[in-house]
Amino acid sequence: MAGEINEGSVPAYYREVYEAIRCKTDERVQVEVFQRLLQRTDLSKTILGQIAEHVDSVDGFMSKLSLYKALALIALAQQGKQPSPKLLENCIQELPKPQLGELKDLNALRMQPAQEDVLTMSQTLDRLLVRDTVQVELIPEKKGLFLKHVEYQVTSQRYKISVYRRYSDFDVFHEVLLQRFAYRVVPALPPKRMLKGVLTSISEREFIEGRRRALGRFINLVARHPFFSEDELVKTFLTFSGSDVQTKLRDTYKKMGDEFMTNRIATQAKEYLPADIQAQFSTSRELIRNIHNSFQKLRDRAEKMAERSKENATDLLMFGRELSTLGSDASSLPSLASSPSTWGTLRQSLKSLSVEFAVLSDKAAQQGRREEDDVVEKLNIFLDLLQSYRDLCERHEKGVLHEHQRALHKYGMMKRQMMSATVQPKEQASVEQLESRIVQQENAIQTMELRNYFSLFCLHQETQLIFIYLPITSHILGAFVNSQVQGHREMGAVWNELQPKLGCLFGGNNGLEPYI
C-alpha cells in the first residue's frame, strides 16, 4: 500500500517520540494524546485535518506504525509539502524529522488524558443501579426463637443464584471488605442484636425485619459500587455455596491483599491528583454534610407519615368494630324510646358497615407499607451511603494521616538518637543497628506517603460517587408522589362506595344535612 512504513527504517527520533507518548500499559497511542501532539506543530487546521484523514485508529487508539506514518506526514507538511502518503514513497529510505519541540516536554501530553481517565468516574446512577439487584429474604426459623438462628436467602440478579447466609457471614464479609478497601465507602452493618431488658415477640420481630432491610441496603450498595462489584470478594459472598463461606472470604482476601497492593496506579496516585485537592475535599465534605443532615430530616418525616398511615389503619378498623359492636347489641329498647323500630333498622345497618371500614383499614395499611418500602427505604439507602462517606473521611484523617504523623515523629527521635551516638562514642554494633532501623523507618514513611496520596485519590473518587447518587432524589420524590396518588385513589374509591350505603341510615341526603 502506498506510504506504508517499515518499522526497521524509521529514524531513532520517531522511536523516542513514540516512547514519550505511548500508553503506560500497552503499545498503543491514545488518539487524544496524538491530537495534543498535533497542536505543537503550528500547522493550520486544514493541514492537520488532512494528516488525521491518513492516519488509522481503532476505538480511540493508534498503532505504533500509524504514529510513525503520522510523524512523517507532519514533517512533510512542515516542509511546505502536501501531507500525502504517496510522497512518503520518495523518501522511504530517509524519513523527514518533524519539529515537535523538546522530547522531555512530550511526556506531559500523555499525563493529562491519563489523569482524566483514571481519576474521573464516568458513571451515571442508572448504570450503577442496573449492575445488580440483591434480594435478602428471611428464612423461617427452624431452631428455637433466638436471634442467632436467623438465616437469610441472598439472591443476586446478576449471578442468578441464591445462597444462604447468617448475620455472622455478613459480619466477616464486612470485615474483609473494609480491610481490602479501607480507602473507599464501605457501608456499615446494622447491629447484631438489640437486647435491652426482655424483648416482647413483637419488638423482636420488628428488630429482625429492620435488620433484614438494613442488610439488603448494605449488600445492594456494595454490589453496585463501581469497584466492589467487580471484586472477587463480592462475587464469593454472592455465589459461594460451600459449607464455610467465612474461611473462603478470608482466604480470598489473603491472596489479594488490600487495594493499595493491587491497584496498578496506587504508587502513582500523586501524579493524578489536582493541585487543589485539599480545598476541593473540604468544600465537597461540607456540602455532603449539609445534604446528609437534610436527608435525615426528610427520612424522619417520611417515617412519621408511614407511621400515621399505619395508625390510621388501626383507627379505621377499631372504628368499624365499634360500629359492629353497637349494631350487634340485641338489647330491647325501653318503651320510652321514641321510635324503637327505626333504631332496630339502624342497628342492623351499623353492623354491616364494619366490612367497609375493614377494607378502608386494609387500604390505609397498604399505604403505610408503600410509604415504608418505596419512600423510606430509598431515603435510608442514600443515608447509608452518606454515613459511610462520613466514616471514610474520619478513617482518612484518623487513620492514614495520624499514622503518617506518628511515623515522622518516630523518625525524628531516631535521627536525634543517631546524632547523639555520633557525639558520644558507642559500640559499633548498636550504631549500625540504629542506622538499619532508620533506613527501615524511612521506607515505612515513604510507603505511608504513597498510601496517603492513594487515600486522597480514592476519596476524590468516592466523593464523585456521592454526587453520582444525588439524582436518587428524583426517584424518592417520584415514589412519594406515586404512593400518595395511589393511596388516595384507592381510599377515595372505597369512601365513594360507602357513601350511597348511608342512605338507609340517614335518608336521601346521606347524612350530609348541616348540623343546626
Side-chain angles (χ1 to χ4, degrees):
M1 187 180 289
E4 285 302 320
I5 291 176
N6 185 333
E7 186 176 351
S9 65
V10 299
Y13 180 77
Y14 280 41
R15 294 190 181 91
E16 290 169 349
V17 171
Y18 165 71
E19 288 297 334
I21 68 171
R22 59 171 282 195
C23 292
K24 289 185 177 182
T25 51
D26 60 35
E27 295 185 347
R28 300 176 300 171
V29 174
Q30 282 184 300
V31 169
E32 188 175 352
V33 179
F34 172 66
Q35 287 170 345
R36 294 179 191 278
L37 182 72
L38 287 178
Q39 301 306 315
R40 299 172 65 89
T41 62
D42 296 326
L43 295 170
S44 69
K45 287 185 178 180
T46 305
I47 297 296
L48 293 179
Q50 292 173 359
I51 292 171
E53 282 178 15
H54 296 305
V55 178
D56 298 326
S57 65
V58 179
D59 296 331
F61 290 93
M62 298 166 57
S63 68
K64 186 192 299 186
L65 291 179
S66 290
L67 174 69
Y68 291 162
K69 180 178 177 182
L71 293 177
L73 293 174
I74 290 169
L76 288 176
Q78 288 176 331
Q79 292 172 6
K81 299 174 183 176
Q82 187 69 17
S84 164
K86 290 183 179 179
L87 284 180
L88 294 180
E89 295 175 359
N90 301 327
C91 55
I92 201 68
Q93 296 302 320
E94 190 179 345
L95 291 171
K97 180 182 177 182
Q99 302 301 313
L100 302 172
E102 292 291 329
L103 268 173
K104 60 179 170 45
D105 295 335
L106 299 186
N107 284 310
L109 302 176
R110 176 174 57 187
M111 289 308 301
Q112 194 166 352
Q115 184 176 354
E116 292 167 3
D117 279 347
V118 175
L119 189 60
T120 304
M121 276 193 182
S122 56
Q123 293 286 346
T124 64
L125 178 60
D126 289 339
R127 281 165 60 188
L128 290 181
L129 294 180
V130 298
R131 279 176 179 251
D132 201 356
T133 297
V134 185
Q135 299 292 335
V136 178
E137 299 298 338
L138 206 60
I139 298 174
E141 297 176 40
K142 295 179 182 178
K143 310 171 190 174
L145 298 172
F146 299 103
L147 298 182
K148 63 181 179 181
H149 292 292
V150 172
E151 263 195 316
Y152 304 94
Q153 184 179 42
V154 179
T155 307
S156 164
Q157 200 174 81
R158 176 181 180 180
Y159 293 109
K160 296 180 172 54
I161 189 172
S162 291
V163 291
Y164 298 96
R165 299 286 182 257
R166 289 190 173 182
Y167 179 88
S168 57
D169 299 329
F170 277 92
D171 197 27
V172 170
F173 175 53
H174 179 264
E175 175 193 319
V176 293
L177 195 67
L178 197 52
Q179 289 171 348
R180 171 127 175 81
F181 293 104
Y183 309 130
R184 299 199 181 274
V185 287
V186 178
L189 282 183
K192 183 176 183 179
R193 54 171 60 90
M194 198 178 290
L195 296 173
K196 292 183 179 178
V198 180
L199 286 174
T200 66
S201 59
I202 293 174
S203 64
E204 185 175 303
R205 281 201 302 270
E206 287 174 347
F207 172 73
I208 291 173
E209 170 58 16
R211 192 176 69 178
R212 181 196 67 80
R213 286 175 179 267
L215 291 173
R217 296 194 300 269
F218 162 78
I219 194 61
N220 275 285
L221 283 172
V222 168
R224 293 166 179 170
H225 190 282
F227 298 102
F228 302 168
S229 59
E230 303 307 316
D231 195 76
E232 193 63 30
L233 276 178
V234 177
K235 184 179 179 181
T236 299
F237 184 79
L238 292 174
T239 63
F240 181 73
S241 55
S243 59
D244 192 354
V245 68
Q246 296 181 20
T247 300
K248 179 71 172 174
L249 285 167
R250 288 195 169 103
D251 288 346
T252 302
Y253 168 68
K254 284 175 186 173
K255 289 176 185 174
M256 293 187 294
D258 78 337
E259 189 186 10
F260 181 78
M261 304 300 291
T262 57
N263 191 304
R264 65 181 178 83
I265 57 94
T267 56
Q268 305 158 23
K270 183 180 180 181
E271 298 176 22
Y272 302 104
L273 291 172
D276 60 342
I277 180 65
Q278 292 290 359
Q280 284 189 35
F281 170 51
S282 298
T283 303
S284 298
R285 187 179 185 182
E286 183 61 29
L287 175 60
I288 291 170
R289 183 186 289 118
N290 294 336
I291 290 169
H292 191 183
N293 292 336
S294 293
F295 268 85
Q296 280 181 319
K297 292 173 184 175
L298 288 172
R299 191 270 316 276
D300 292 346
R301 294 296 172 184
E303 280 183 337
K304 287 182 178 179
M305 284 187 274
E307 196 57 42
R308 280 200 297 271
S309 293
K310 292 177 187 175
E311 290 172 356
N312 189 31
T314 303
D315 290 340
L316 285 165
L317 186 64
M318 297 310 296
F319 192 92
R321 283 181 181 174
E322 287 303 322
L323 289 177
S324 180
T325 301
L326 195 61
S328 300
D329 186 359
S331 305
S332 57
L333 288 171
S335 57
L336 57 86
S338 58
S339 51
S341 61
T342 304
W343 173 242
T345 306
L346 194 61
R347 199 158 55 181
Q348 288 296 318
S349 300
L350 289 175
K351 188 176 181 181
S352 67
L353 286 180
S354 65
V355 177
E356 273 77 14
F357 277 92
V359 174
L360 284 167
S361 172
D362 185 54
K363 296 296 183 187
Q366 289 177 28
Q367 173 68 5
R369 285 193 294 272
R370 268 195 302 272
E371 289 167 346
E372 210 168 49
D373 295 343
D374 298 344
V375 183
V376 176
E377 269 304 288
K378 284 185 172 68
L379 283 162
N380 274 332
I381 199 168
F382 189 41
L383 280 170
D384 288 352
L385 182 67
L386 290 169
Q387 182 59 52
S388 65
Y389 178 79
R390 291 179 78 159
D391 295 343
L392 173 64
C393 293
E394 288 184 15
R395 278 204 306 277
H396 173 73
E397 291 179 339
K398 294 180 180 177
V400 179
L401 292 180
H402 184 60
E403 285 176 14
H404 189 202
Q405 287 165 357
R406 278 172 53 194
L408 287 172
H409 177 68
K410 185 177 177 182
Y411 178 68
M413 289 177 61
M414 285 181 177
K415 291 291 280 185
R416 284 193 292 275
Q417 286 176 356
M418 190 66 191
M419 290 173 66
S420 174
T422 56
V423 174
Q424 300 172 8
K426 289 194 175 184
E427 291 183 17
Q428 186 64 27
S430 64
V431 173
E432 288 176 357
Q433 189 178 18
L434 188 56
E435 286 176 343
S436 174
R437 285 173 56 204
I438 287 175
V439 171
Q440 288 176 356
Q441 190 65 11
E442 285 173 345
N443 291 335
I445 289 171
Q446 186 179 15
T447 301
M448 284 181 188
E449 286 176 348
L450 292 173
R451 281 186 174 272
N452 181 38
Y453 285 119
F454 184 59
S455 177
L456 272 173
F457 177 91
C458 294
L459 196 53
H460 193 282
Q461 289 188 322
E462 299 303 291
T463 305
Q464 293 173 60
L465 182 65
I466 300 298
F467 291 123
I468 290 168
Y469 259 91
L470 273 176
I472 201 173
T473 310
S474 63
H475 294 224
I476 293 165
L477 287 173
F480 177 58
V481 171
N482 290 339
S483 71
Q484 297 304 312
V485 168
Q486 185 176 348
H488 287 294
R489 184 174 60 237
E490 291 180 359
M491 293 281 283
V494 180
W495 285 117
N496 285 329
E497 288 175 10
L498 178 60
Q499 192 176 22
K501 296 179 181 180
L502 301 182
C504 62
L505 293 174
F506 305 105
N509 62 6
N510 296 338
L512 301 179
E513 184 176 327
Y515 179 79
I516 298 173

